[in-house]
Amino acid sequence: VFRYDIQTAQTSQVTNTKEAEYSPVPMPDGSGFSVIRVATPNAQGADCTNPPLWRYNLDGTPGMSLIDVTSIGYYAWIEKKQAALFVVGDAEKKIPNRLVSADISTGKTTDLANSPGRRIARTPDGRVSFVDQSDSKQWVISAIAPGDKSATVLVAMPVSAADEQAPDFSEDYAWLPDGSILMAKGSTLLRWDGKPGSAFVRFAEVPNLNGDIKRLVASQDGKHLALVVLMAEKTTVP
């Protein structure tokens, strides 16, 4: 794990472990940060042997395993002690990916949904939002809370081309403080206004990226976006 200081543009190494580490996220209580720590990856890259969600101190020294759940691929903090987990299934055994709520203080877990996408987030009203991929032709962003009988569909994910298939659908999005959602297709930002029945519409173009936006996150005040761009391969002209 590395830390990038926006003010000084300096990058420094934070952790130094033998295990692979993914998705560093600040702990909600400010005491450190959490990561997916993969010691023995399987074919899908998930760790089905060791619980991989760990807490680290801010200086990078390992803290402790947070929850006794294996095969976590992605996660998000919903409350100080509640995390939403993407638990990797097994295609050969026809076990689907699962969305799970976990209470870090008690160890209790609750299944929320099957077939989630990788992007999990907290809704403005404190529920868990996720991309429901159960319909291969039309993915939707839904929200659910522990105790709900079923998820509530918020908005359909946009599909731009008639021949576009599920593996190429965009699935990354970011909540804004006003309750709207931003997502990207290529270098175009789309916005859903948060109103039931409305859809994503073009919001802005981000020029000169030389690639497609794949992941994005908004600052807490909604004034800044951080983007991950998959750079286009350079071609050599003979």
Side-chain angles (χ1 to χ4, degrees), residues 155-222:
V155 62
M157 302 292 276
V159 179
S160 59
D163 59 348
E164 189 175 23
Q165 301 299 312
D168 300 317
F169 293 171
S170 294
E171 63 172 297
D172 294 297
Y173 63 90
W175 283 98
L176 297 181
D178 64 358
S180 65
I181 291 178
L182 284 184
M183 66 168 296
K185 285 188 73 66
S187 60
T188 302
L189 291 175
L190 308 173
R191 177 177 177 268
W192 174 60
D193 60 11
K195 298 178 181 178
S198 60
F200 279 100
V201 298
R202 182 183 175 277
F203 179 71
E205 293 289 336
V206 187
N208 305 319
L209 290 179
N210 193 34
D212 293 339
I213 301 170
K214 292 300 180 181
R215 306 192 187 194
L216 69 165
V217 64
S219 60
Q220 290 186 349
D221 59 9

Side-chain angles (χ1 to χ4, degrees), residues 55-146:
R55 176 194 173 278
Y56 282 66
N57 297 320
L58 291 175
D59 63 3
T61 54
M64 64 186 74
S65 176
L66 290 173
I67 192 74
D68 189 21
V69 176
T70 59
S71 300
I72 300 172
Y74 308 93
Y75 72 101
W77 289 102
I78 307 303
E79 304 290 350
K80 287 186 177 181
K81 296 296 183 180
Q82 181 192 359
L85 314 173
F86 175 109
V87 178
V88 180
D90 189 319
E92 291 185 358
K93 297 180 180 178
K94 297 183 179 180
I95 300 174
N97 300 328
R98 294 180 296 133
L99 179 65
V100 174
S101 172
D103 187 315
I104 303 303
S105 60
T106 65
K108 180 182 178 182
T109 61
T110 304
D111 283 2
L112 298 179
N114 289 330
S115 302
R118 66 170 177 258
R119 179 65 173 123
I120 306 168
R122 183 186 187 277
T123 66
D125 60 6
R127 293 180 293 170
V128 180
S129 66
F130 66 101
V131 179
D132 185 344
Q133 299 181 354
S134 56
D135 184 342
S136 61
K137 296 181 179 180
Q138 179 62 74
W139 293 354
V140 297
I141 298 178
S142 295
I144 192 170

Side-chain angles (χ1 to χ4, degrees), residues 2-14:
F2 286 76
R3 178 182 289 114
Y4 177 75
D5 189 304
I6 296 175
Q7 298 299 324
T8 64
Q10 296 296 310
T11 301
S12 57
Q13 185 172 343
V14 180

